[in-house]
Amino acid sequence: MCKLFVTDADGSLLDSNNKISEANINAINELREKGVIYTIATGRMFSSILPYALELRVNAPVICFNGALIKDIYTKKVYYYNPIQPDDAIAVIDILKNSGYQVNLYIDDKLVVEEMNERVEWYLSFNTVEVNAVGDLAEYIKNTGKGTAKIYAIGDIKNPAPVEPEVYDKLSKIVSVSTSGGGHLELNAKGVSKGNALKTLANMYNIKRELVAAVGDNLNDLSMIEYAGFGVAMANAPELVKIKADFVTKSNNEDGIAFAINRIFARQQIMAV
């Protein structure tokens, strides 16, 4: 039995063209008709995930920035927000820039970068968001006194490579470090994760974890897959995520969300509330 169903967006809900398939839409509509609470947990910023959440008519607040923000798409009420504080953000920016990463900040639900370049344009090719090029990021933070919901560190987009162990060690002493693939890093305040945000959301609705199902495709989804009573990995997920999941569904290009929902219904794991 399930009362709360949550899916990741990129690589899970969305196909390779950043579209939601008709099969996935129909399956999610069926969930809501059965009385199940459905929403999205994503690394994206609120404004970026908003069109998809509205299309699916989610009936719970969305989880954004890998768990740093829980916000209602209809009322815009913020239920939880835990950004990287200014001093920590400045320290992390220095490490990342010295390691060759493009640094993206997310402040006031806008993308903040030093300058427009190839890697920023690459990011904007699949994220329709407002962007501010502000020059030196550390100075910008010092001048505004603002923290950032998340830091997205873009590596080499032509020759992706995993983070160097020394760099990872330095970063992990300051922030939570995860990845959404492609050699890029997603950095949040300590304690922030999709799993902790999902726990917060479940508690808001007084839903026990064994009545929660979560679907994801990458390492930044692992915490919510492990928290959920029924964790689902996409077929396109890394092996570690698949091992930790209770079930492996089809890929994001094969209506994997719909397949997972239908399989769970068939097993009577999800029932009407």
Side-chain angles (χ1 to χ4, degrees):
M1 183 176 181
C2 175
K3 292 187 176 181
L4 174 61
F5 191 88
V6 179
T7 65
D8 168 54
D10 296 280
S12 300
L13 175 68
L14 307 180
D15 64 21
S16 296
N17 295 314
N18 287 313
K19 303 292 185 182
I20 307 173
S21 71
E22 184 177 352
N24 284 346
I25 292 173
N26 290 339
I28 290 168
N29 286 341
E30 183 179 354
L31 277 183
R32 287 188 288 96
E33 290 169 3
K34 295 288 186 181
V36 177
I37 296 171
Y38 169 75
T39 194
I40 302 168
T42 179
R44 291 192 183 212
M45 55 202 297
F46 180 79
S47 58
S48 178
I49 202 60
L50 182 60
Y52 299 109
L54 289 170
E55 180 181 2
L56 291 172
R57 293 177 290 155
V58 301
N59 52 356
V62 293
I63 296 170
C64 301
F65 301 115
N66 287 331
L69 176 70
I70 301 175
K71 186 173 180 178
D72 191 283
I73 70 167
Y74 306 108
T75 67
K76 305 304 187 291
K77 179 178 178 179
V78 173
Y79 289 91
Y80 175 84
Y81 182 54
N82 186 2
I84 301 172
Q85 295 301 313
D87 288 347
D88 288 339
I90 290 169
V92 167
I93 289 167
D94 182 63
I95 295 169
L96 292 171
K97 289 176 65 176
N98 288 333
S99 303
Y101 286 92
Q102 157 67 38
V103 180
N104 285 6
L105 305 183
Y106 302 85
I107 300 174
D108 298 331
D109 208 42
K110 296 179 178 64
L111 174 64
V112 178
V113 299
E114 288 197 342
E115 63 180 6
M116 299 300 297
N117 57 37
E118 182 183 14
R119 285 187 278 184
V120 175
E121 294 291 351
W122 168 83
Y123 178 85
L124 293 174
S125 70
F126 53 87
N127 280 284
T128 305
V129 297
E130 184 176 345
V131 57
N132 289 341
V134 299
D136 188 272
L137 292 176
E139 286 300 316
Y140 179 79
I141 290 176
K142 290 176 184 177
N143 292 335
T144 62
K146 294 180 177 180
T148 176
K150 184 185 80 169
I151 295 176
Y152 186 50
I154 304 175
D156 190 329
I157 57 177
K158 295 180 180 178
N159 299 291
V163 59
E164 293 290 337
E166 181 181 355
V167 175
Y168 178 88
D169 185 57
K170 289 180 181 178
L171 292 171
S172 62
K173 291 176 180 177
I174 306 170
V175 291
S176 294
V177 184
S178 63
T179 176
S180 57
H184 315 304
L185 304 178
E186 305 219 23
L187 313 173
N188 289 95
K190 284 285 190 180
V192 167
S193 70
K194 288 187 179 183
N196 285 337
L198 180 54
K199 180 180 179 180
T200 298
L201 190 64
N203 288 340
M204 284 169 51
Y205 289 95
N206 295 314
I207 296 174
K208 296 178 181 179
R209 65 185 297 181
E210 56 263 31
L211 302 180
V212 177
V215 187
D217 77 302
N218 225 308
L219 298 181
N220 62 335
D221 299 311
L222 195 54
S223 60
M224 72 171 182
I225 288 172
E226 292 182 309
Y227 169 79
F230 193 76
V232 180
M234 304 296 294
N236 47 290
E239 197 61 31
L240 176 60
V241 179
K242 294 178 182 178
I243 290 171
K244 295 291 186 178
D246 298 297
F247 175 68
V248 178
T249 186
K250 293 184 178 182
S251 78
N252 63 316
N253 289 321
E254 300 173 301
D255 307 321
I257 298 298
F259 185 81
I261 291 171
N262 292 334
R263 179 59 61 91
I264 295 169
F265 267 118
R267 293 182 178 185
Q268 297 183 337
Q269 299 256 0
I270 290 183
M271 301 171 65
V273 176

